[in-house]
Amino acid sequence: EILDPKNCLVSKVKDEGQVADWNNDAAPRERLKRHDCLRKVNGIGTNCTSKELVNMVSVCRGPVELTFERPTVLQLDVKRRGCKLGLAVAASKSDLGLLVRGVDRDGAVLNLNQVNDVDYIIAGDRIVTVDGAFLPPGEIAKQLAGDEYQLALYRYLPQGQS
């Protein structure tokens, strides 16, 4: 998925093909899975957009070396206390959660970030569960209208920091 220009995510791993063959032979922690982030194609990729990485894969001939990154999983308890959440989000068309496009200048998230001087939610994070449930993006958005809930976020390190 290339919704986020900085993070090219695996939306599905098919049961047949080269990736399935790789996964069959690989140790469990090395298997490619949903939400893994493509970082390099044949050693090239730093500062490439998601679209550029996909294009590089599509024109490869012969052996291909792909480098992926796993997300860091973050849990966050949100208490809106009547104010707006304060996030700009985009829905994944591949059922990979909600992409956080930005944090508004007011709202519960900015307040939480400022009070504790920690960036709990930042642009580029993926909201993948609400109260422990993996839901389609539209359902996640509906759940965010509530006043209290626990979120699971996937965060990817910026290129070059993995």
Side-chain angles (χ1 to χ4, degrees), residues 74 76 103 109-110 112-114 116-122 125 153 155:
L74 306 170
L76 179 64
V103 177
V109 171
L110 182 67
L112 185 63
N113 286 353
Q114 288 178 336
N116 297 305
D117 200 26
V118 174
D119 289 330
Y120 289 107
I121 301 178
I122 60 173
D125 286 348
L153 307 162
R155 181 170 293 168

Side-chain angles (χ1 to χ4, degrees), residues 5 12 23 34 44 51 84 90 94-95 103 109 126 128:
K12 181 179 181 177
N23 279 351
R34 279 175 52 88
I44 301 169
K51 197 173 210 175
K84 71 177 191 168
S94 303
D95 233 8
V103 177
V109 171
R126 291 275 177 152
V128 293

Side-chain angles (χ1 to χ4, degrees), residues 3-148:
L3 177 64
D4 180 351
K6 295 179 181 178
N7 296 305
C8 181
L9 302 187
V10 174
S11 60
K12 181 179 181 177
V13 177
K14 297 180 181 178
D15 294 332
E16 296 179 2
Q18 292 178 328
V19 172
D21 293 344
W22 164 266
N23 279 351
N24 286 335
D25 295 334
R29 65 178 185 73
E30 294 177 351
R31 293 178 184 149
L32 188 66
K33 57 186 186 176
R34 279 175 52 88
H35 291 279
D36 284 350
C37 183
L38 178 63
R39 287 297 187 207
K40 293 181 183 178
V41 178
N42 290 333
I44 301 169
T46 305
N47 299 322
C48 288
T49 66
S50 297
K51 197 173 210 175
E52 290 168 337
L53 287 169
V54 169
N55 288 338
M56 289 167 55
V57 170
S58 69
V59 299
C60 282
R61 302 291 176 250
V64 177
E65 181 181 324
L66 304 175
T67 303
F68 290 91
E69 172 196 337
R70 289 265 152 81
T72 299
V73 181
L74 306 170
Q75 299 285 336
L76 179 64
D77 292 318
V78 175
K79 295 178 182 170
R80 293 180 46 203
R81 295 185 173 99
C83 64
K84 71 177 191 168
L85 184 59
L87 289 178
V89 297
S92 165
K93 294 178 182 170
S94 303
D95 233 8
L96 295 172
L98 291 179
L99 170 66
V100 176
R101 293 270 194 207
V103 177
D104 294 345
R105 292 177 187 244
D106 61 348
V109 171
L110 182 67
N111 291 343
L112 185 63
N113 286 353
Q114 288 178 336
V115 166
N116 297 305
D117 200 26
V118 174
D119 289 330
Y120 289 107
I121 301 178
I122 60 173
D125 286 348
R126 291 275 177 152
I127 301 171
V128 293
T129 73
V130 178
D131 293 330
F134 283 93
L135 302 167
E139 289 299 313
I140 291 174
K142 287 179 188 174
Q143 296 295 315
L144 295 182
D147 202 50
E148 290 187 27

